[in-house]
Amino acid sequence: MHAAELLQFVIAGLKNGSIYALVALGFTIVYAATGIINFAQGEFYMLGGMVSVFVLGALKVPLAVAIAGGVALTVVVGALVERLALRPRRDAGQLTLIIITIGVSLLLRSVARHAFGANELSLPAFSPGPSVMFMGAAIERQALWVWAITAVSVVGLWLVYEKTSFGRAMKACSISHEAARLMGIDTARVVALAFALAAGLGAIAGAAVTPLTSTAFDVGARIGLKGFAAAILGGLGDFRAAVAGGLALGLVESLSVAYISSTYKDAIALVVLLAVLFLRPQGLFGRMAKEKV
Amino acid sequence: MHRAWKDMAAMAAAGALSITMVLSGCASPANQAATGGSAKPAVAPVKIGAILSLTGSYAGLGAPEKRAIELEVKRINDAGGVGGAPIEVVVEDDATDAQKAVAAATKLIEKDRVVAIIGATGTGGTMAIRNEASRAGVPIVSMAGGSVITDTFDANTFQTPWPNRVVVAFTLKYLKANGITRIALLSDSSGYGKDGHDVTVKQAAAAGVAIVADETFNPGDTDMTAQLTKIKAAGPQAVWLWNAGKEAATAAKNLRQIDPSATIRLVGAPGNGRMEFITGAGDAAEGFTFAAGKILLPATYGAGTEEYKVATSFVDRFKTAYGVAPDIFAGHAYDALTIVAEALKKAGPGADGAKLRTAIEGTKGLIGIGGTFTYSPTDHNGLSEKDLVVYRVSKGTWELAK
């Protein structure tokens, strides 16, 4: 295989991988603040794309404004999901909350189906133009946007977590809600913000990917599964691990098409995931959970 | 005495209730197409089932099918129904899932007691409901294009789209005539994609076309760059895409990405004859070539012909009702409903499944949207290459390919 082709496979893998990474980040944020897996994360991704398309078509505003609108609305939905669906049952145990998120995801999908229709919808590229050639491999301009957004998100999240009091409050919540509350942290507010943040990230990913893949009311389930797998692969609860897990998953998929068979692409990715979980239950880059005292 | 009085009161109440329900027409409006022309409720409507993919991968196909069915039910009923009885179509959504299609078929047969089923939207769904319908003796008129539907013959199953065996032969001739003899296949793993793939592999060599690469993807996949990179390395003149869902737009964009000067042509199938594909793929759709029926450009029927009149009348009514032109899937639904309705006129509104099946098999020279249908005891499709034309996408719309 020529070097240019191999590079093309790697680029395809990294492109899909950074999409998975953005979704995985959403899982990680909510998990860090609440200890639950939010199965509605894929629907935030779907809403980001669908609402942006809708705003663009209905209000005829510039693309950037439409996407800002789509992301803002999804953030509101994220906060509402926490406030209306999860907070009333917050003492019910994690399993109940996880099941509630599954219900929420079905609800959001049905609402989107009726509000926006069943057809696939698309957005124009952020910066239209032919692919950029790099050492014989082609890179879509939109893929550069996806990479940039992933990089900015990771740095931004790192700054929030390390440098702000909100970030420290989130960290405290991830260790113990009870202790955080005793230390005067408004844990309910932290959880609500975590949901809003996760929804915003999911929505940005959904809007950034729509020019590449189109979107539809039912894209959330599949991307949610991939993002979840990426978060598990990397190691739940750590941003860098989520990003690494996403990129690794994308690369495994792409290289299995290159060297094995496109028919078994998804199966191979799942086998790798299982293998990692057997050998390193904490994920590729996660730290073994310590009993916190 | 006292007891009999009570019974009579109960019966009277039940009677009053049922009359009220009939008059107000409150029989579960949720998922039923209107019977239209409700002026004469005296005759019980003939119930026909429809299994459509209103959600899932084929949602974009099921939606125009539902619109066409609702439009035509109303027209048929306004024109007096079938043999004096109105028709009523009970629509079920199979969510592009073969298991749900079977559940829907069971419900339509056992609960709604339909005399025929229109559907399913997809090849996988159609194959899944054949057993259920055969057992109950309820004929099926499918709107899916997989060859397998009529190749593995079932006395009870009919088909309205051009089957892949006809589409592939027709498209291969076009490719050969245009000097394209090295192609790559990119097919999805759905029933339609697999069927198209298998038929192409079977016919290509004899038609003088070599398949130099053969890749697949799954419905719902959002990136085919890796598969197309592998395909490009094999050096084909064209990529033949087998997919009727939203993934087609992504494949077109991915191909343009790794082949910016468009040296490799993109070829497709009737399943891509949807505006959403062109809008989704944008510039990458330019030059996309596919065979499909004449409905996309009604002038191809030949102005003034009977076929042209039938098609333009449908196009006009569809545009008036919904503001957009019908696509090929709306056409398949029109054909399926018309075939069943015409057979009901012949067999009478009281006909059972077996009689109706025989009447459908006797369909002869019925001018529809997909072509002119003539079924026989050995041919339950009845369409041929002359019902197809080759389209090419240019400036965001279809034009006849040279």
Side-chain angles (χ1 to χ4, degrees), chain A residues 15 113 120 138 211 222 262, chain B residues 55 215-216 221 223 253 274:
Chain A
K15 177 179 74 181
R113 153 114 177 68
E120 63 267 29
R222 186 180 171 282
S262 47
Chain B
T55 53
E215 295 291 322
T216 63
D221 276 5
D223 189 73
K253 279 199 260 192
R274 297 189 303 134

Side-chain angles (χ1 to χ4, degrees), chain A residues 58 68 76 108 133 137 151 206 223 232 253 272 275 280:
Chain A
V76 172
L108 291 178
M133 296 306 288
I223 196 73
I232 297 281
E253 283 184 357
V272 169
R280 274 185 69 85

Side-chain angles (χ1 to χ4, degrees), chain B residues 238-328:
Chain B
V239 177
W240 192 336
L241 177 67
W242 277 107
N243 163 258
K246 59 178 174 284
E247 300 80 11
T250 308
K253 279 199 260 192
N254 290 160
L255 177 62
R256 187 57 60 90
Q257 176 213 344
I258 60 162
D259 177 35
S261 47
T263 50
I264 304 174
R265 282 184 70 170
L266 187 60
V267 179
N272 304 115
R274 297 189 303 134
M275 246 327 156
E276 288 80 11
F277 166 73
I278 297 182
T279 341
D283 286 344
E286 291 294 302
F288 178 76
T289 308
F290 64 103
K294 299 171 179 172
I295 183 71
L296 298 179
L297 289 175
T300 52
Y301 289 104
T305 60
E306 204 54 40
E307 290 85 348
Y308 180 78
K309 281 182 211 154
V310 169
T312 46
S313 151
F314 175 60
V315 170
D316 290 346
R317 277 182 286 119
F318 199 93
K319 274 187 182 162
T320 310
Y322 305 116
V324 289
D327 55 16
I328 61 162

